[in-house]
Every structure is written in structure tokens, then in C-alpha cells.
Amino acid sequence: MPAIISTGAYIPYYRLKREEIVRAWGGAQRGEKAVANFDEDSVTMAVEAGRDALHGIDRQTIDGLYFATTTAPYKEKQGAAVIASALNLKKGVFAVDFTDTLRAGTNALRAAVDAVKAGSAQRVLVVAADCRLGAPGSEFEQVFGDGAAALVIGKEGSIDLVSSYTHTSEIIDQWRLDSHAFTKKWEDRFVATQGYLANVSEAVGAFMKQQNTSLKDFNKVALYAPDARGHQEACRMLKLDIKTQVTNPMFDTVGNTGAAFALLILVAAVEEANTDDKLLLVSYGDGCDIFTFHVKEKPAMDKERRGVQGYLKAKNYLSNYEKYIRFRKLMEVESGRRRPPQVSSAVVIHRDRRMIYSLNGSECTSCGRAFFPPQRICLYCQAKDQFREISLTERKGKLFTFSKDELAQSLDPPVIVSIVDLEGNLRFYGQMTDRDPDKVELDMPLDLTFRKMGEAEGYYSYFWKCRPVR
């Protein structure tokens, strides 16, 4: 029987208080939303969630990588291939993108379950991430948050998939054209009554009848909703006990994370689950996907895993709405006279792809010394081409030295150029992100994170940065 082997999550470091958006545009909203840093996108967040889920799992055992998003960085290029490289998965992994619908996350989950059930894959990593934009001053700008979730699906795990159901319905309630930067929707009442609530009611009713069960049989319900008001209306309609039965949708702390939303609240439900609990997941987007799970035993949390609860605790606030505008490039702002950014070469990226995406160094098989960047000749024993690749991505480190460059071109100055002493007598040279410049100090503990470095010649370049341990 297909089962969840492991779960992972990622919520960005920054939050924006909704009172800051109200200050700019008026209105009345509460809480905060998660905001991706300027060097993050749906691919980098998916990598972080995937790393969280893969702690303690041999990455070479992953046969499939299914990436779900509505905000893929490329219109024609696979995001899953970048993620697979950053996660150092095997070359033979079956990588697929699921896009263009809010149900992409649960569509990918259904495909992974079917692949495991059919035997075409033993283990599949499902990652979902979104970084959507609401037009400035719109309700979506208040509601949307950024984040990612990941599940490892296999034949045996602590949480069995019991049953699933799919309900498809065409309706123009919420959409984004290929040429649009911002998500749009039709009038509120039509969207709620004819779209979300009508579909959830019909799908849940049909599923309960098919399975000869009722909502009271479930200990936890992870229910997708477009916003907090819609969530409350759906809970009342289904007669769910919000206080004890429904997983917190995190609208006041994270926001609606699009294609990742359903899987993110499922991960939160799993983290809270007890042995023998029954879980129900309901997602929405041009129809509904429904899954039920049985928790055979409470999942053990690897000590390195942060999960939803870990990422909720580790945060920092953007100082103001104007900084959010700058991060999302919603206005053209003066950045000072600087030389044009250096153009990266697709040929060089391809040649050094194992170092750039997978952050692989080398270890001399003659004397055991390790190097980064990789070398051909050992500086210590002079052995030539006698190396094996080693991964640096999960190594912890301490800040050896740094400099703050106030004049370097950046959306979030100063640029903090760092030299990090990593475990295994290695050093990493690069930029620091997700940091408070006033709290950077020598010997502070750091780890590594996959980020977008820039855009040139019409494509994105990615590499690893260091950050304070969250």
C-alpha cells in the first residue's frame, strides 16, 4: 500500500505584517504573510522543502521527482531538473513538472501514489512551491504567502494512503494569463458559491458516500480554502469542529501558498498527528482532490528536520512595505550607477554543473584531503585525477571572516561576502543571505542554502549561499 515515508516544509525567513500593506493601501487585515527573499523563487523553495524531507533518507533511492507550482521560473525549461541537480539525485530519476493549477500539488501526489502502486517507482519525492503575486492594493496581495512542502511516497511508511478521489469542474473563478503578472478572479460571491463551496460540497459528499464513511470519522482535516473567510464558511458547511478537528490553515502566519498550500497543511497535520489517527486532505482548483490517510505510528522527527513548526518559529520581519515592493520588483527603483552584471555562460554552467547545482567538492583517494572547488591535482600528495566527489550541501560551518559591501549592486544591501569553515576541513566562499547585517559576527553557526544569483542573457543562474542557522 502506498504510504508517506517522510514530510518536509519550507517557509521563508521573512514575514510582512499586513498592517504594513494597510498603511499603503488602506483596509483592515490582521496577521502576517511569509515573503520569499529577493534571491528565492519556487525552485529554490522546493529545494529547501525537499532537503527537509530527505533528512535520513538515501537520496539514491529516489526514483521520481514531481515538482508542482503555478510560478515556474521558465515557460520552457523544466524546474524539476534544476531541483534534482540541487538535491543531488541520481541521473536516472524521473523528473516531471506539474503546473498551471492550484491543484498541481495534489495532482503530483496522486501521480506519485499511482506510480508507487503500479511499481514503476519505489520512492517518489513530491515537492510543491509557489511565489505568487497579487496586484498592489488587491485582496490577493494581502492573502498570498510564499512557501513549499514535500512528501516522500513509497511502498512502506508510517502513514498509509487509504483512499483517494478526484472531482474535475471547469469554472472561470480564478486565473492568470500567460501574459499576466498578477492573479485575477471573478466577483466574490460567484467565486465562493459557484466555485469553491459548491465543488467542495459536491466532492466531499460524493467521496463520503463512495467510501461509506462520514467526516466525524476523521481526527484531522486539512482543508484547502482561498482565504480565512472561505475556510470558515467551508467548515460550517461541512459541520467540522474547527477547534479540534481542523488543521490550522496558517492564513494569519503564512498566507495562501498556492499549489503548495494543500500539501503544506497536510505536513502540519502529520506533525500533529498521533498513532491511529485518520487524516483527510481536501484540495481545490478547477475541481477537488481528496485523500485519506491512516497514521500507523506517530512519525519520528529527524533532529535535522525543521518542518512547519520549526520554520514558523524562525523568522524576521521586513522593515516596511517599500522593501517588499523592492524585493518583488513591483516598481523600478534607482539602484545607483554600477557596471552591468557579469554575464554567466551556459557553457561554463554546464561544464561545472556538479559544483554549481550539487555543490560537490572533491576528496583525494590517495591522502584523503578534501577540496572545494574540486581539483585535479592534490596540493598535498600531488596525486593526479585521483578524486571522488563529495557533497557539501548538508555540512554545517562557522563564519571565519566576512566583509560588508555597501556599494555592491543588490536589492538588499549590504552584500556580506563570507568565508565559512565547513565540517571536514573545507572552506566555502560566497554571499550570506537571510541575515540581519547588525548581528553578523565571527564564529556564528551557518549552513548552506540554494539561491537564485541573478538573471542575464534571458536565463537564471543559481548557486549556494550561506545563512545563519534557523
Side-chain angles (χ1 to χ4, degrees), residues 6-9 47-55 304-307 311:
S6 177
T7 63
V47 171
E48 289 297 321
R51 293 172 70 192
D52 201 39
L54 289 171
H55 279 299
E304 296 292 331
R305 274 202 57 218
R306 297 183 176 96
Y311 278 119

Side-chain angles (χ1 to χ4, degrees), residues 382-446:
Q382 282 73 55
K384 184 179 179 181
D385 293 331
Q386 297 182 37
F387 291 91
R388 69 178 185 89
E389 284 189 322
I390 55 173
S391 175
L392 276 61
T393 58
E394 304 307 320
R395 298 186 185 219
K396 300 287 192 294
K398 289 184 177 180
L399 184 60
F400 173 71
T401 188
F402 65 98
S403 67
K404 296 181 182 178
D405 189 341
E406 300 281 355
L407 299 178
Q409 195 168 36
S410 172
L411 291 174
D412 188 26
V415 172
I416 299 180
V417 180
S418 309
I419 296 179
V420 184
D421 283 339
L422 293 175
E423 296 168 339
N425 199 28
L426 283 160
R427 274 190 172 164
F428 172 83
Y429 171 81
Q431 297 180 22
M432 186 185 295
T433 189
D434 291 356
R435 78 290 179 266
D436 181 340
D438 295 330
K439 294 182 180 178
V440 175
E441 57 186 18
L442 297 180
D443 292 330
M444 66 189 297
L446 301 169

